[in-house]
Amino acid sequence: MSQEEIARAAIAHALKALRKRHLAEEVAHGPAITALSKPYISQGFEWKEKTESLEAELQQCYKAQARLSDQLVVEVAEGRASKALLQEKESLIENLQAELGQTRDECTQLKTDLEEKTRALELVMSENQELKIQLEEMTIKAKNAEAENKMLVDRWMLQKMQDAERLNEANALYEDMVNKLKASGLEMLARKQVDGVVRQSEEGAEYFVETTIPTTCSRRIPSHDGGCASILFESNSNKLITGGQDRTVKMWDASTGVLTRTLHGCLGSVLDLTVSHDNRSVIAASSSNNLYVWDVSSGRVRHTLTGHVDKVCAVDVSKVSNKHVVSAAYDRTIKVWDLQKGFCVNTIIFHSNCNSLCFSTDGLTICSGHVDGSLRLWDIQSGRLLSEVAAHSLSVTSVSLSRSGTMVLTSGRDNLHNLFDIRSLELCVTLRSSSNKVASNWSRSCISADDNYVAAGSADGSVHVWSIQKADIVSTLKEHTAPVLCCSWSGLGKPLASSDRSGIVCIWR
C-alpha cells in the first residue's frame, strides 16, 4: 500500500473512534441534559411562537423591501431621465439665452436703422414737398405753353386753310388743263403727269389696268382658323397672301381659290403682312413680339427679327428696294430693319402706340397712324418727326399709300376714312357712312390701283366701296357673316379681297 492510502485508512479509523466516543458521551450525559432541558421546554414554545411571528414579520419585511427595491429602481430610472431632461432643458435655456441676446442686438440694430430710415423719410418727404411745389409751377407753365400752343395752332390752321384755298385754285387750274389735254387727245400724257413731272416708265405701269367697281363675290375661301387679320396681293400679281390666328401664312391663286403654298415657322398670331416689290420675300408681324421673313421660293424662314418687347402690329417694306423694313409694336417703338443683314438700324420711341404704318414711294419717309388719332411722318435716316396732323378723334387703325404716292388713306375708330395730301398733310376728302363701323384697332382699308376708289370693311360683315371724286358709296358688298378686318386691292385693278374675324376670305369682281 502506498503512503497516501495508509494515511486515508488512518484518518477513517480515527473518525470512527471519535463517533463512538461522541455517542458514548451523549448516552452518559443524556439524563442530565434531559433534566436541564425541561425548564426550557416551556420557554422554547414561546420562543418558537415569537420566532414564527418574527419570521412572518421578516418575510413581510422582505416583501416590503422587494417592493421598495422595485420602486427605488423605478425612481432611480425616473431620476436619471429627469436629470437628462434637466440637462437638456438647461442647454436649451442656454441656447435661448444666446438667441435672446442676439435678438436683442438685432433689435437694437433695427432700432438704429429705423431711426436712420425715419430721418431719410423725413428728408425725402421734404424733398417731395419741394418737388410738388416745382410741379405746380411747371404745371402752370405747361398750361400757359399749351394755351400759347393752341393759339399758334389756330393761327397755323388758319394759314393752312388759306394755303388750301390757294391749292384748290391750283387744282382747279390743273383740272382745266387736264380737260383741255383730254380734248386734244393727250389723255395718256395727263395720266402720267404727277406734280409737273412726266414719268415715262413708272415701275409696274405695264401691268396697270383701270379699276372696275366690284359687285359680286367670285370666291369664298376658308383661309385660317380663328380669324384672318391681314391680306395683301403680290406686287403686280393675282396671287393673294393671307395671315391669321393659326400662326401660318398662306398663298392663294385668287382666280381659282386654290392654296399654292403655306409658310410655317411663326410662333404667334399674324397681325400684319407685307411683300417685297420683287415678290421674293414675305414679312409677317406677329403677336410673339417678332417679325418673320420667308423666302417665297423655298418656303423657309430666312430671318427672325427680334427686338420688340410687345406684340408687333404693323410692318411694311420699302417700295424702292428690299433692304429696309419698318415695323411698329405695342412697346411704343417704331423700328427700321436692314433686311439684308437682319438687324435693327434705327429705333423711334414715341409716347403713343402705332397701329399701322407704310413707306412713302421714295422710301425715305414713314407714315404712321397712332392710338392718339394722329398721322405722323418720320425721316427714316434720322428718326426725326417731320410733320403730324390730328387725323381722327379716336385711334387710327389703318394707313395706306396711293399708287401715285401723293395721297395717304387713314381709317379710324371714329368710323371715318380720310385722304391726306402727303406733301402738306392737308385733308383732301373724308369718306363716311352710317352703316360702316370699324371692327378693330387693326382694321385695314385700301385704295384701288387707279386711285379712284376706297374699300373698307365694317363690323356688320359688309364691305363699302367709295368713289374718291364723288365722296359717296358706289357699292356695298355683303357676303361675310363676321366683322370684316382687312381689305386689299390687286395692283392689276381687280379683284378686291376682304377677310373677316371667322377666317373667311372673299374675292370680289
Side-chain angles (χ1 to χ4, degrees):
M1 295 177 63
S2 63
Q3 294 285 341
E4 184 179 354
E5 290 176 353
I6 293 171
R8 287 180 180 177
I11 292 170
H13 181 71
L15 288 173
K16 287 179 181 181
L18 288 173
R19 287 192 191 101
K20 287 179 180 181
R21 182 180 178 185
H22 179 69
L23 289 174
E25 288 178 355
E26 283 184 352
V27 172
H29 296 293
I33 294 171
T34 302
L36 292 172
S37 63
K38 283 181 179 179
Y40 296 101
I41 291 173
S42 60
Q43 292 180 1
F45 287 112
E46 293 177 2
W47 291 349
K48 185 177 180 181
E49 290 176 357
K50 289 181 180 180
T51 303
E52 288 176 354
S53 63
L54 290 174
E55 287 178 353
E57 290 179 3
L58 181 61
Q59 288 178 356
Q60 291 178 358
C61 288
Y62 285 156
K63 291 180 181 178
Q65 184 180 4
R67 288 196 301 273
L68 290 173
S69 298
D70 295 337
Q71 185 176 358
L72 178 61
V73 171
V74 173
E75 289 180 354
V76 168
E78 290 179 354
R80 290 176 180 175
S82 299
K83 186 176 181 181
L85 182 61
L86 179 60
Q87 291 176 353
E88 183 179 354
K89 295 294 185 181
E90 288 177 351
S91 63
L92 181 60
I93 289 173
E94 290 177 357
N95 295 334
L96 290 175
Q97 287 178 347
E99 291 181 0
L100 179 60
Q102 184 179 0
T103 305
R104 285 175 177 172
D105 295 338
E106 292 179 355
C107 183
T108 304
Q109 183 63 35
L110 288 175
K111 286 182 178 179
T112 305
D113 295 342
L114 179 60
E115 292 175 356
E116 293 179 357
K117 297 295 184 182
T118 303
R119 290 193 295 269
L121 180 61
E122 292 175 354
L123 179 61
V124 170
M125 290 179 65
S126 62
E127 292 179 353
N128 184 39
Q129 190 66 28
E130 294 177 358
L131 290 174
K132 283 184 178 180
I133 296 172
Q134 294 179 5
L135 178 61
E136 292 176 356
E137 294 176 354
M138 296 300 294
T139 302
I140 296 173
K141 292 181 180 180
K143 288 181 179 179
N144 295 334
E146 185 177 357
E148 184 179 357
N149 183 53
K150 185 177 180 181
M151 180 184 67
L152 293 175
V153 169
D154 292 339
R155 291 171 57 187
W156 179 73
M157 291 300 295
L158 179 61
Q159 183 65 34
K160 288 295 182 181
M161 291 176 62
Q162 295 175 354
D163 294 341
E165 291 178 357
R166 290 193 294 270
L167 184 61
N168 290 334
E169 294 176 358
N171 288 336
L173 294 175
Y174 175 76
E175 290 177 1
D176 293 339
M177 184 184 299
V178 171
N179 291 331
K180 291 178 181 179
L181 291 173
K182 287 181 180 179
S184 61
L186 297 179
E187 181 179 356
M188 295 303 298
L189 180 62
R191 283 183 181 273
K192 295 180 181 180
Q193 186 169 355
V194 180
D195 303 334
V197 178
V198 178
R199 299 183 181 176
Q200 297 291 345
S201 57
E202 185 177 357
E203 183 180 1
E206 63 272 17
Y207 301 104
F208 176 76
V209 293
E210 190 171 354
T211 303
T212 57
I213 301 174
T215 55
T216 59
C217 178
S218 61
R219 299 287 175 189
R220 195 172 188 272
I221 305 170
S223 61
H224 297 273
D225 296 333
C228 179
S230 181
I231 59 175
L232 79 160
F233 284 92
E234 284 189 346
S235 179
N236 302 316
S237 171
N238 204 30
K239 290 184 179 180
L240 180 66
I241 307 172
T242 64
Q245 297 288 325
D246 57 3
R247 303 181 179 183
T248 61
V249 174
K250 298 181 179 180
M251 304 181 73
W252 312 80
D253 187 331
S255 301
T256 61
V258 175
L259 177 64
T260 59
R261 184 181 289 275
T262 300
L263 305 177
H264 298 279
C266 182
L267 300 180
S269 303
V270 178
L271 301 181
D272 198 16
L273 287 171
T274 187
V275 61
S276 59
H277 72 278
D278 58 4
N279 296 329
R280 292 182 180 179
S281 299
V282 173
I283 303 103
S286 170
S287 62
S288 64
N289 306 347
N290 299 328
L291 292 109
Y292 299 90
V293 183
W294 285 274
D295 182 78
V296 175
S297 60
S298 64
R300 296 181 179 179
V301 176
R302 192 169 78 236
H303 294 298
T304 299
L305 306 179
T306 60
H308 286 292
V309 295
D310 206 337
K311 60 185 176 184
V312 187
C313 56
V315 63
D316 194 23
V317 64
S318 174
K319 299 169 180 60
V320 178
S321 67
N322 296 331
K323 182 177 181 181
H324 288 138
V325 171
V326 63
S327 63
Y330 263 37
D331 55 6
R332 293 184 173 86
T333 64
I334 297 173
K335 290 183 178 292
V336 181
W337 308 84
D338 188 322
L339 197 58
Q340 296 175 355
K341 298 179 181 178
F343 60 81
C344 178
V345 296
N346 197 4
T347 298
I348 301 170
I349 302 175
F350 200 70
H351 64 82
S352 177
N353 282 322
C354 174
N355 282 335
S356 181
L357 48 74
C358 66
F359 269 107
S360 62
T361 53
D362 58 9
L364 300 178
T365 306
I366 304 169
C367 306
S368 61
H370 294 259
V371 174
D372 62 2
S374 296
L375 171 66
R376 295 180 172 91
L377 303 185
W378 309 86
D379 181 75
I380 188 175
Q381 297 294 336
S382 63
R384 183 173 58 89
L385 178 63
L386 300 177
S387 56
E388 62 179 320
V389 64
H392 296 270
S393 59
L394 297 176
S395 299
V396 178
T397 67
S398 175
V399 175
S400 55
L401 196 67
S402 65
R403 188 175 182 122
S404 64
T406 59
M407 292 187 297
V408 59
L409 169 67
T410 63
S411 299
R413 292 308 298 265
D414 56 2
N415 303 317
L416 299 180
H417 308 278
N418 294 327
L419 280 161
F420 293 90
D421 188 313
I422 196 172
R423 295 161 297 185
S424 61
L425 290 186
E426 290 293 333
L427 179 62
C428 299
V429 64
T430 297
L431 308 174
R432 72 184 76 199
S433 172
S434 59
S435 59
N436 181 255
K437 306 294 182 183
V438 175
S440 76
N441 281 343
W442 304 284
S443 293
R444 311 299 192 195
S445 56
C446 64
I447 308 176
S448 63
D450 61 357
D451 297 348
N452 286 331
Y453 303 100
V454 168
S458 177
D460 62 0
S462 60
V463 178
H464 296 87
V465 181
W466 285 268
S467 169
I468 294 177
Q469 293 182 352
K470 299 179 181 179
D472 59 359
I473 293 177
V474 294
S475 181
T476 300
L477 311 174
K478 296 184 178 181
E479 182 67 25
H480 293 282
T481 57
V484 179
L485 301 179
C486 187
C487 293
S488 179
W489 225 307
S490 170
L492 301 178
K494 61 181 180 180
L496 169 68
S498 59
S499 64
D500 63 26
R501 189 165 285 169
S502 65
I504 301 298
V505 174
C506 292
I507 307 298
W508 307 91
R509 294 185 182 274

